[in-house]
Amino acid sequence: MPKRERNKFVKRGQVIDILIEDYAFGGKGIGRIRNEHGEFVVFVPNTLPGQFVKAQVKKSSKKYAECKLFEVLERSEDEVDMPYQSIPGAPYINLPIEKQHEYKTQSTLELFKRIGKVADIEDKFDEFVSSPNTFHYRNKMEYGFSAIGYNHELKTDVDEFTLGFKKRGTWWCGDNLNQDSGLFDAEFENQLKDIRQYCIETGLDPWHAPKKEGFFRYFVVRKSYKTNKLLFNLVTTSADLPKFDLDKFANYLVELFGDRVAGLLHTINDEIGDRTIATTGSISLVYGDDKIVEELLGLNFEISMKSFFQTNPKCAEKLYSKVVDYALENKEAIDNTVVLDLFCGTGTIGQIIASKSENAKIVGVDIVASAINDAKENAKRNNIEGLKFYAADVGKFLNEHPEYTNKIRTIILDPARAGISPKTLNKIINLNAERLVYVSCNPATQARDTEQLMQAGYEIKKLSLVDQFPHTAHIETVVLFEKS
């Protein structure tokens, strides 16, 4: 077996300081190492051109290396000061929003050219839809407890009770959130340090990730923008549970937030895996209600702690409006026909289309049974008829329900980040619909699917970008395909 050639620029595990020179899709900053052997490209996620950063090499090949960001040593000259505590979930909060939009537009269109083979993508570009709220836009946050903190002055781990987020680049180390991060509810986040102090005074331990032990694990909060209510979920292990008074904790939250408290749930999670709700755990209501209500485009949706719901509801209204605009652009292809809403989740898009069309039958399909149950309940609540929902794998559903085949002129697609499998996409193509409206939270997989759709005779008519997550690298895309 030939000996593998040694990388002449970096090795796995090496920590490097590097200047970021360019920006690639998905928030990957591009740095370059130059020496007597030539030039070598380094990708560092969540970085910007002009930043000088410390990063660790995770993977390397002959041509490039993938790194993990440890720390920004020097800021880019494009960055500005913000009155918020910096967190890993908002790596670009110091970059003016117009500059964020510029980077996202440029890198996404480039992706469709390179992966989707759409040479004239700029001609198809419709608009960049910005978020109505640049700050404090999220309706859900998960804060983690940790027995290991971080001393920013000494730049080292310390034994400390923390409540906040993981220290960037680590899985074992927490970082206290002491004030508003600019992403979630400001009143709540400014009080999080008081909640941390309350938990410290119980004498019970926070989760110690390396040892896989402790009591406090997560504190999850959902917010309704319709009612301004907060729904809380405290996640703990069962160890020492008799020593913790859940009712007293609920009363403390009411002292802090008054009638904003919709309810408090308690989840037991004894699994060692790093997730908030365990597959084997239990969830129980301690105080108040177990749901909040949100409104989108005049429709009401009940949201439980486990429900999937758009994280930025005000921008979701803009996203769904764009989807509906594309779907109803040729209203004849909707009225008196079957519209297939695949990967429909809680059925929001289908309900909106049904409420705006004449005698259209909307068929929603999603593999997550709880989402389909929510979809059915929401349709009842909103008194919308002409909707049918199926809990099924999309590929299997298309095999098992030929009764819809010849009546479909429009298909709505909103898959998960992985996109649509080639086999399932083939089945969708074989339905021979005139139009597809494809919504994606991952333009890279959507661009990949675009190539397959174009080979099958579909063309991109329009493409819009929707900034659901300001201050992150994420961008949502809505593409209208039509049969050529």
Side-chain angles (χ1 to χ4, degrees):
M1 189 173 175
K3 190 176 179 183
R4 189 178 171 191
E5 188 180 337
R6 189 174 64 86
N7 191 306
K8 296 182 174 69
F9 296 92
V10 295
K11 59 184 179 183
R12 192 168 176 272
Q14 184 180 344
V15 176
I16 59 173
D17 294 349
I18 193 162
L19 176 69
I20 303 301
E21 300 176 18
D22 291 310
Y23 180 93
F25 176 78
K28 289 186 178 180
I30 301 172
R32 292 180 176 87
I33 297 171
R34 300 171 179 93
N35 62 23
E36 67 275 14
H37 302 293
E39 186 174 285
F40 185 74
V41 172
V42 171
F43 292 103
V44 187
N46 298 327
T47 58
L48 291 167
Q51 289 180 335
F52 189 62
V53 305
K54 184 180 289 294
Q56 185 179 42
V57 178
K58 303 307 287 180
K59 295 178 187 172
S60 70
S61 66
K62 284 184 183 178
K63 294 182 179 178
Y64 67 91
E66 297 271 0
C67 295
K68 178 166 73 172
L69 175 64
F70 273 169
E71 190 179 354
V72 176
L73 302 171
E74 291 176 25
R75 298 202 313 181
S76 162
E77 61 181 21
D78 290 327
E79 293 181 85
V80 295
D81 289 330
M82 284 288 171
Y84 307 116
Q85 181 173 332
S86 174
I87 63 169
Y92 306 128
I93 200 162
N94 296 105
L95 189 68
I97 197 70
E98 298 77 19
K99 198 75 179 169
Q100 293 183 38
H101 293 174
E102 186 186 311
Y103 281 135
K104 288 181 179 184
T105 303
Q106 168 196 322
S107 61
T108 305
L109 294 184
E110 189 56 42
L111 202 68
F112 275 85
K113 275 186 187 173
R114 185 168 51 84
I115 298 176
K117 311 289 193 297
V118 188
D120 60 345
I121 191 65
E122 285 88 357
D123 298 336
K124 318 286 188 185
F125 184 52
D126 180 6
E127 68 170 321
F128 188 103
V129 180
S130 56
S131 175
N133 303 334
T134 302
F135 299 99
H136 306 113
Y137 61 83
R138 289 185 63 95
N139 65 355
K140 183 183 179 185
M141 277 295 223
E142 296 181 355
Y143 306 91
F145 290 94
S146 175
I148 304 171
Y150 188 76
N151 186 310
H152 287 267
E153 289 179 9
L154 300 175
K155 296 190 183 302
T156 185
D157 301 358
V158 289
D159 291 333
E160 181 186 19
F161 189 119
T162 70
L163 175 56
F165 302 104
K166 291 272 195 326
K167 166 79 176 62
R168 180 176 278 132
T170 70
W171 58 270
W172 66 91
C173 184
D175 210 355
N176 279 322
L177 185 72
N178 293 312
Q179 67 177 76
D180 178 13
S181 70
L183 291 197
F184 189 56
D185 186 87
E187 181 194 9
F188 171 77
E189 290 199 327
N190 283 323
Q191 300 274 21
L192 190 65
K193 59 184 180 299
D194 299 317
I195 295 170
R196 180 177 78 235
Q197 189 56 40
Y198 179 99
C199 295
I200 288 170
E201 288 172 7
T202 66
L204 299 170
D205 293 328
W207 184 251
H208 193 296
K211 292 181 180 176
K212 313 288 187 200
E213 64 184 29
F215 177 70
F216 294 107
R217 296 198 69 172
Y218 297 97
F219 195 48
V220 185
V221 193
R222 274 195 182 274
K223 173 183 177 176
S224 163
Y225 280 83
K226 177 181 172 73
T227 63
N228 202 33
K229 296 268 191 182
L230 300 171
L231 179 63
F232 300 104
N233 181 22
L234 179 67
V235 182
T236 72
T237 61
S238 58
D240 294 324
L241 187 55
K243 297 178 186 174
F244 185 75
D245 190 330
L246 285 162
D247 293 322
K248 188 178 173 187
F249 183 61
N251 291 335
Y252 177 68
L253 293 175
V254 173
E255 278 176 36
L256 288 180
F257 304 109
D259 61 6
R260 290 195 70 196
V261 179
L264 169 66
L265 295 143
H266 174 241
T267 295
I268 293 175
N269 181 356
D270 286 328
E271 294 181 4
I272 59 172
D274 190 17
R275 55 175 172 242
T276 52
I277 296 175
T279 51
T280 56
S282 65
I283 184 164
S284 57
L285 182 64
V286 178
Y287 170 88
D289 298 321
D290 63 352
K291 291 187 175 84
I292 49 175
V293 176
E294 192 56 273
E295 185 179 287
L296 285 181
L297 297 171
L299 303 178
N300 288 315
F301 298 89
E302 272 196 354
I303 309 163
S304 68
M305 196 50 80
K306 287 184 179 182
S307 298
F308 169 78
F309 198 75
Q310 290 287 350
T311 310
N312 181 349
K314 292 299 174 190
C315 193
E317 289 191 316
K318 286 196 166 192
L319 172 70
Y320 292 145
S321 293
K322 180 58 69 175
V323 175
V324 172
D325 285 350
Y326 281 6
L328 296 178
E329 192 173 80
N330 177 1
K331 201 160 178 289
E332 286 179 12
I334 298 288
D335 293 345
N336 304 303
T337 70
V338 173
V339 176
L340 202 50
D341 185 7
L342 301 180
F343 315 98
C344 70
T346 53
T348 313
I349 294 172
Q351 288 183 62
I352 296 167
I353 291 174
S355 69
K356 293 178 182 292
S357 60
E358 301 292 329
N359 199 33
K361 186 178 182 76
I362 314 293
V363 178
V365 185
D366 199 285
I367 199 168
V368 181
S370 60
I372 290 297
N373 289 335
D374 285 346
K376 290 174 180 175
E377 287 302 314
N378 288 327
K380 274 187 209 167
R381 185 176 301 106
N382 293 309
N383 295 314
I384 298 176
E385 296 179 352
L387 290 151
K388 194 145 190 179
F389 292 107
Y390 294 87
D393 171 78
V394 165
K396 286 182 181 173
F397 173 86
L398 296 175
N399 282 342
E400 293 166 4
H401 291 271
E403 69 269 25
Y404 296 121
T405 304
N406 299 320
K407 299 173 185 172
I408 298 163
R409 294 177 68 187
T410 302
I411 300 176
I412 311 293
L413 303 165
D414 189 3
R417 288 189 64 78
I420 307 169
S421 73
K423 197 173 172 184
T424 300
L425 191 53
N426 240 7
K427 290 176 183 175
I428 292 167
I429 288 165
N430 290 338
L431 292 172
N432 208 31
E434 294 169 26
R435 306 155 74 251
L436 310 173
V437 183
Y438 188 159
V439 190
S440 176
C441 60
N442 185 359
T445 53
Q446 188 183 42
R448 177 204 69 201
D449 295 344
T450 294
E451 186 181 17
Q452 189 177 342
L453 287 166
M454 286 171 64
Q455 287 168 356
Y458 284 95
E459 284 184 6
I460 291 182
K461 189 178 180 191
K462 287 183 177 181
L463 160 74
S464 284
L465 309 187
V466 184
D467 192 23
Q468 286 267 81
F469 302 103
H471 320 306
T472 76
H474 297 293
I475 191 74
E476 203 105 357
T477 41
V478 185
V479 181
L480 174 61
F481 291 93
E482 288 190 348
K483 257 286 163 89
S484 54

Short mmCIF file of all heavy atoms in Angstrom, two decimals, residues 318-356:
data_model
loop_
_atom_site.label_atom_id
_atom_site.label_comp_id
_atom_site.label_asym_id
_atom_site.label_seq_id
_atom_site.Cartn_x
_atom_site.Cartn_y
_atom_site.Cartn_z
N LYS A 318 -43.55 36.25 6.09
CA LYS A 318 -43.02 36.72 4.79
C LYS A 318 -42.63 35.53 3.91
O LYS A 318 -42.85 35.54 2.70
CB LYS A 318 -41.81 37.63 5.02
CG LYS A 318 -42.17 39.01 5.53
CD LYS A 318 -40.98 39.95 5.36
CE LYS A 318 -41.38 41.41 5.53
NZ LYS A 318 -40.32 42.32 5.09
N LEU A 319 -42.04 34.50 4.54
CA LEU A 319 -41.66 33.29 3.81
C LEU A 319 -42.89 32.63 3.20
O LEU A 319 -42.92 32.31 2.00
CB LEU A 319 -40.94 32.31 4.75
CG LEU A 319 -40.63 30.92 4.18
CD1 LEU A 319 -39.54 30.99 3.12
CD2 LEU A 319 -40.23 29.96 5.29
N TYR A 320 -43.91 32.42 4.02
CA TYR A 320 -45.12 31.76 3.54
C TYR A 320 -45.85 32.60 2.50
O TYR A 320 -46.44 32.08 1.55
CB TYR A 320 -46.05 31.41 4.70
CG TYR A 320 -45.51 30.35 5.64
CD1 TYR A 320 -45.75 30.38 7.01
CD2 TYR A 320 -44.73 29.30 5.14
CE1 TYR A 320 -45.25 29.40 7.85
CE2 TYR A 320 -44.24 28.32 5.97
CZ TYR A 320 -44.50 28.37 7.33
OH TYR A 320 -44.00 27.40 8.16
N SER A 321 -45.81 33.92 2.67
CA SER A 321 -46.44 34.81 1.68
C SER A 321 -45.77 34.65 0.33
O SER A 321 -46.43 34.63 -0.72
CB SER A 321 -46.34 36.27 2.13
OG SER A 321 -47.13 36.48 3.28
N LYS A 322 -44.45 34.51 0.34
CA LYS A 322 -43.71 34.32 -0.91
C LYS A 322 -44.06 32.97 -1.55
O LYS A 322 -44.28 32.88 -2.75
CB LYS A 322 -42.20 34.42 -0.63
CG LYS A 322 -41.30 34.24 -1.84
CD LYS A 322 -41.58 35.25 -2.93
CE LYS A 322 -41.19 36.66 -2.56
NZ LYS A 322 -41.38 37.58 -3.72
N VAL A 323 -44.15 31.92 -0.72
CA VAL A 323 -44.53 30.60 -1.23
C VAL A 323 -45.92 30.66 -1.85
O VAL A 323 -46.16 30.14 -2.96
CB VAL A 323 -44.51 29.54 -0.09
CG1 VAL A 323 -45.02 28.20 -0.59
CG2 VAL A 323 -43.10 29.39 0.47
N VAL A 324 -46.86 31.29 -1.14
CA VAL A 324 -48.24 31.38 -1.62
C VAL A 324 -48.31 32.23 -2.90
O VAL A 324 -49.03 31.90 -3.84
CB VAL A 324 -49.17 31.94 -0.52
CG1 VAL A 324 -50.55 32.23 -1.05
CG2 VAL A 324 -49.25 30.95 0.65
N ASP A 325 -47.52 33.32 -2.95
CA ASP A 325 -47.48 34.15 -4.17
C ASP A 325 -47.05 33.33 -5.37
O ASP A 325 -47.63 33.41 -6.44
CB ASP A 325 -46.51 35.32 -3.99
CG ASP A 325 -47.07 36.41 -3.09
OD1 ASP A 325 -48.27 36.34 -2.78
OD2 ASP A 325 -46.30 37.31 -2.70
N TYR A 326 -46.00 32.52 -5.17
CA TYR A 326 -45.51 31.68 -6.27
C TYR A 326 -46.55 30.62 -6.65
O TYR A 326 -46.78 30.35 -7.82
CB TYR A 326 -44.19 31.01 -5.87
CG TYR A 326 -42.96 31.90 -5.95
CD1 TYR A 326 -43.06 33.25 -6.24
CD2 TYR A 326 -41.69 31.37 -5.73
CE1 TYR A 326 -41.94 34.06 -6.32
CE2 TYR A 326 -40.55 32.17 -5.80
CZ TYR A 326 -40.68 33.51 -6.09
OH TYR A 326 -39.55 34.31 -6.16
N ALA A 327 -47.17 30.03 -5.61
CA ALA A 327 -48.16 28.97 -5.88
C ALA A 327 -49.38 29.52 -6.61
O ALA A 327 -49.93 28.88 -7.50
CB ALA A 327 -48.58 28.31 -4.57
N LEU A 328 -49.81 30.73 -6.21
CA LEU A 328 -51.04 31.30 -6.77
C LEU A 328 -50.77 32.21 -7.98
O LEU A 328 -51.69 32.86 -8.46
CB LEU A 328 -51.79 32.09 -5.70
CG LEU A 328 -52.32 31.28 -4.51
CD1 LEU A 328 -53.00 32.19 -3.49
CD2 LEU A 328 -53.29 30.20 -4.97
N GLU A 329 -49.52 32.24 -8.42
CA GLU A 329 -49.21 33.08 -9.58
C GLU A 329 -50.06 32.68 -10.79
O GLU A 329 -50.52 33.51 -11.56
CB GLU A 329 -47.72 32.95 -9.92
CG GLU A 329 -47.25 34.00 -10.91
CD GLU A 329 -45.75 33.95 -11.09
OE1 GLU A 329 -45.28 33.08 -11.84
OE2 GLU A 329 -45.05 34.76 -10.48
N ASN A 330 -50.26 31.36 -10.94
CA ASN A 330 -51.20 30.85 -11.94
C ASN A 330 -52.33 30.19 -11.15
O ASN A 330 -52.29 29.01 -10.85
CB ASN A 330 -50.52 29.85 -12.86
CG ASN A 330 -51.47 29.24 -13.87
OD1 ASN A 330 -52.65 29.58 -13.90
ND2 ASN A 330 -50.98 28.33 -14.68
N LYS A 331 -53.35 31.00 -10.80
CA LYS A 331 -54.39 30.52 -9.89
C LYS A 331 -55.20 29.38 -10.51
O LYS A 331 -55.75 28.52 -9.82
CB LYS A 331 -55.30 31.68 -9.50
CG LYS A 331 -56.08 31.44 -8.20
CD LYS A 331 -56.57 32.73 -7.59
CE LYS A 331 -57.37 32.46 -6.33
NZ LYS A 331 -58.68 31.87 -6.60
N GLU A 332 -55.24 29.33 -11.84
CA GLU A 332 -55.97 28.25 -12.52
C GLU A 332 -55.36 26.88 -12.22
O GLU A 332 -56.04 25.86 -12.26
CB GLU A 332 -55.95 28.47 -14.04
CG GLU A 332 -56.86 29.59 -14.50
CD GLU A 332 -56.78 29.78 -16.00
OE1 GLU A 332 -56.21 28.89 -16.68
OE2 GLU A 332 -57.27 30.80 -16.50
N ALA A 333 -54.04 26.89 -11.94
CA ALA A 333 -53.37 25.62 -11.63
C ALA A 333 -53.61 25.19 -10.19
O ALA A 333 -53.14 24.14 -9.76
CB ALA A 333 -51.86 25.75 -11.89
N ILE A 334 -54.34 26.02 -9.42
CA ILE A 334 -54.65 25.71 -8.02
C ILE A 334 -56.15 25.41 -7.85
O ILE A 334 -56.54 24.40 -7.29
CB ILE A 334 -54.26 26.90 -7.10
CG1 ILE A 334 -52.76 27.17 -7.17
CG2 ILE A 334 -54.71 26.65 -5.67
CD1 ILE A 334 -51.89 26.15 -6.50
N ASP A 335 -56.98 26.33 -8.34
CA ASP A 335 -58.43 26.19 -8.16
C ASP A 335 -58.95 24.90 -8.80
O ASP A 335 -58.56 24.54 -9.91
CB ASP A 335 -59.16 27.39 -8.77
CG ASP A 335 -58.87 28.69 -8.03
OD1 ASP A 335 -58.35 28.61 -6.90
OD2 ASP A 335 -59.13 29.77 -8.58
N ASN A 336 -59.83 24.21 -8.05
CA ASN A 336 -60.48 22.98 -8.54
C ASN A 336 -59.49 21.87 -8.90
O ASN A 336 -59.77 21.03 -9.75
CB ASN A 336 -61.37 23.29 -9.77
CG ASN A 336 -62.40 24.36 -9.45
OD1 ASN A 336 -63.19 24.21 -8.53
ND2 ASN A 336 -62.36 25.45 -10.20
N THR A 337 -58.33 21.89 -8.27
CA THR A 337 -57.34 20.83 -8.51
C THR A 337 -56.86 20.29 -7.17
O THR A 337 -57.25 20.78 -6.10
CB THR A 337 -56.11 21.37 -9.27
OG1 THR A 337 -55.36 22.24 -8.41
CG2 THR A 337 -56.48 22.10 -10.54
N VAL A 338 -55.99 19.28 -7.24
CA VAL A 338 -55.31 18.77 -6.04
C VAL A 338 -53.94 19.43 -5.97
O VAL A 338 -53.18 19.39 -6.93
CB VAL A 338 -55.16 17.24 -6.08
CG1 VAL A 338 -54.30 16.75 -4.92
CG2 VAL A 338 -56.52 16.57 -6.05
N VAL A 339 -53.64 20.05 -4.82
CA VAL A 339 -52.30 20.60 -4.56
C VAL A 339 -51.63 19.68 -3.55
O VAL A 339 -52.16 19.43 -2.46
CB VAL A 339 -52.37 22.03 -3.99
CG1 VAL A 339 -50.97 22.54 -3.65
CG2 VAL A 339 -53.05 22.96 -4.99
N LEU A 340 -50.49 19.14 -3.92
CA LEU A 340 -49.77 18.22 -3.05
C LEU A 340 -48.76 19.01 -2.22
O LEU A 340 -47.89 19.70 -2.77
CB LEU A 340 -49.05 17.18 -3.92
CG LEU A 340 -48.67 15.85 -3.29
CD1 LEU A 340 -49.83 15.20 -2.57
CD2 LEU A 340 -48.11 14.91 -4.37
N ASP A 341 -48.88 18.96 -0.90
CA ASP A 341 -47.98 19.67 0.02
C ASP A 341 -47.11 18.62 0.71
O ASP A 341 -47.53 17.99 1.68
CB ASP A 341 -48.83 20.46 1.03
CG ASP A 341 -48.00 21.33 1.95
OD1 ASP A 341 -46.77 21.44 1.73
OD2 ASP A 341 -48.57 21.90 2.90
N LEU A 342 -45.92 18.39 0.16
CA LEU A 342 -45.04 17.33 0.65
C LEU A 342 -44.06 17.85 1.69
O LEU A 342 -43.55 18.96 1.56
CB LEU A 342 -44.28 16.70 -0.53
CG LEU A 342 -45.16 16.09 -1.63
CD1 LEU A 342 -44.28 15.51 -2.74
CD2 LEU A 342 -46.08 15.01 -1.07
N PHE A 343 -43.77 17.03 2.69
CA PHE A 343 -42.95 17.42 3.85
C PHE A 343 -43.64 18.61 4.53
O PHE A 343 -43.03 19.63 4.83
CB PHE A 343 -41.52 17.80 3.43
CG PHE A 343 -40.89 16.86 2.45
CD1 PHE A 343 -40.89 17.15 1.09
CD2 PHE A 343 -40.31 15.67 2.87
CE1 PHE A 343 -40.30 16.28 0.17
CE2 PHE A 343 -39.72 14.79 1.96
CZ PHE A 343 -39.73 15.10 0.61
N CYS A 344 -44.95 18.46 4.78
CA CYS A 344 -45.80 19.60 5.13
C CYS A 344 -45.68 20.05 6.57
O CYS A 344 -46.19 21.11 6.93
CB CYS A 344 -47.26 19.29 4.81
SG CYS A 344 -47.99 18.03 5.91
N GLY A 345 -45.04 19.25 7.46
CA GLY A 345 -44.93 19.64 8.87
C GLY A 345 -46.31 19.82 9.48
O GLY A 345 -47.18 18.97 9.35
N THR A 346 -46.54 20.98 10.12
CA THR A 346 -47.83 21.23 10.77
C THR A 346 -48.86 21.81 9.81
O THR A 346 -49.90 22.31 10.24
CB THR A 346 -47.65 22.17 11.98
OG1 THR A 346 -46.95 23.34 11.54
CG2 THR A 346 -46.86 21.50 13.08
N GLY A 347 -48.57 21.76 8.51
CA GLY A 347 -49.57 22.08 7.49
C GLY A 347 -49.84 23.55 7.28
O GLY A 347 -50.88 23.92 6.70
N THR A 348 -48.92 24.41 7.70
CA THR A 348 -49.16 25.86 7.62
C THR A 348 -49.36 26.33 6.19
O THR A 348 -50.33 27.04 5.88
CB THR A 348 -47.97 26.62 8.25
OG1 THR A 348 -47.65 26.02 9.50
CG2 THR A 348 -48.31 28.08 8.46
N ILE A 349 -48.46 25.95 5.28
CA ILE A 349 -48.53 26.43 3.89
C ILE A 349 -49.83 25.97 3.24
O ILE A 349 -50.53 26.75 2.59
CB ILE A 349 -47.30 25.95 3.08
CG1 ILE A 349 -46.02 26.59 3.63
CG2 ILE A 349 -47.46 26.27 1.60
CD1 ILE A 349 -44.73 26.03 3.03
N GLY A 350 -50.15 24.69 3.43
CA GLY A 350 -51.37 24.15 2.84
C GLY A 350 -52.62 24.87 3.32
O GLY A 350 -53.53 25.15 2.53
N GLN A 351 -52.66 25.19 4.62
CA GLN A 351 -53.82 25.90 5.16
C GLN A 351 -53.96 27.29 4.55
O GLN A 351 -55.07 27.73 4.23
CB GLN A 351 -53.70 26.02 6.68
CG GLN A 351 -53.92 24.70 7.39
CD GLN A 351 -53.86 24.87 8.89
OE1 GLN A 351 -54.66 25.59 9.46
NE2 GLN A 351 -52.91 24.21 9.52
N ILE A 352 -52.84 27.97 4.38
CA ILE A 352 -52.89 29.33 3.81
C ILE A 352 -53.37 29.26 2.36
O ILE A 352 -54.21 30.06 1.93
CB ILE A 352 -51.52 30.02 3.92
CG1 ILE A 352 -51.13 30.20 5.39
CG2 ILE A 352 -51.54 31.38 3.21
CD1 ILE A 352 -49.69 30.57 5.62
N ILE A 353 -52.85 28.30 1.58
CA ILE A 353 -53.26 28.16 0.18
C ILE A 353 -54.75 27.81 0.10
O ILE A 353 -55.49 28.37 -0.71
CB ILE A 353 -52.40 27.11 -0.55
CG1 ILE A 353 -50.98 27.65 -0.72
CG2 ILE A 353 -52.99 26.77 -1.92
CD1 ILE A 353 -49.99 26.66 -1.29
N ALA A 354 -55.18 26.89 0.98
CA ALA A 354 -56.60 26.50 0.98
C ALA A 354 -57.50 27.69 1.28
O ALA A 354 -58.59 27.83 0.71
CB ALA A 354 -56.83 25.39 2.01
N SER A 355 -57.04 28.58 2.18
CA SER A 355 -57.87 29.73 2.56
C SER A 355 -57.94 30.78 1.46
O SER A 355 -58.80 31.65 1.48
CB SER A 355 -57.32 30.38 3.85
OG SER A 355 -56.07 31.00 3.61
N LYS A 356 -57.03 30.70 0.47
CA LYS A 356 -56.99 31.71 -0.59
C LYS A 356 -57.40 31.18 -1.96
O LYS A 356 -57.33 31.88 -2.96
CB LYS A 356 -55.57 32.30 -0.69
CG LYS A 356 -55.15 33.11 0.53
CD LYS A 356 -53.73 33.62 0.38
CE LYS A 356 -53.29 34.40 1.61
NZ LYS A 356 -54.00 35.67 1.79
#
